[in-house]
Amino acid sequence: MENPFEIIMNRLDEIEVLINKIKVNEIEKKELLTIKEVADFLKLTVPTIYGYTHRNLIPYIKKGRKLYFYKNEIEEWLMEGKKSSTRELNIRVNKYLMGI
């Protein structure tokens, strides 16, 4: 019979490998955009993006006189303003009421 502690240690090792793969994938997903690319992506003007950065409304990186943006952070920033549809709200209410 196999030692249960060895089984647990093997499973933990497998989990650790998977977590490391996820971390590497997240780092690789960090696509860096320029202010012009962000403006095009958001369908806004470059001065509007400058205004957002000046008021710290949008996540950005300033290196010297250049501004950079991580695409995934811009996408997350957009989702912060997402409003749930009536259908989505009904699903959340039903899950809450059923204790899910």
Side-chain angles (χ1 to χ4, degrees):
M1 182 168 179
E2 213 176 335
N3 183 345
F5 292 108
E6 285 181 32
I7 295 171
I8 292 171
M9 289 305 294
N10 288 336
R11 291 294 294 148
L12 286 174
D13 288 341
E14 291 171 10
I15 291 170
E16 187 175 12
V17 167
L18 291 173
I19 289 172
N20 286 332
K21 284 182 182 178
I22 290 170
K23 287 180 182 177
V24 167
N25 287 338
E26 287 301 313
I27 291 169
E28 290 173 355
K29 284 184 185 176
K30 292 199 174 210
E31 180 182 349
L32 208 55
L33 303 175
T34 65
I35 193 161
K36 173 85 171 85
E37 291 169 329
V38 169
D40 291 343
F41 178 65
L42 297 176
K43 296 181 180 33
L44 298 170
T45 65
V46 170
T48 300
I49 303 300
Y50 275 121
Y52 287 179
T53 59
H54 180 73
R55 294 189 310 272
N56 290 318
L57 297 176
I58 192 169
Y60 68 97
I61 301 163
K62 186 171 183 180
K63 191 70 174 174
R65 297 184 66 181
K66 299 276 187 178
L67 293 175
Y68 300 98
F69 306 81
Y70 283 121
K71 187 173 183 179
N72 64 327
E73 289 180 358
I74 298 301
E75 291 169 339
E76 289 172 12
W77 174 75
L78 276 175
M79 292 305 291
E80 288 173 3
K82 181 183 182 299
K83 303 293 182 205
S84 298
S85 69
T86 304
R87 183 176 181 275
E88 290 170 325
L89 290 173
N90 285 333
I91 290 169
R92 286 175 42 199
V93 167
N94 287 333
K95 284 183 177 179
Y96 176 78
L97 292 175
M98 292 190 308
I100 297 175

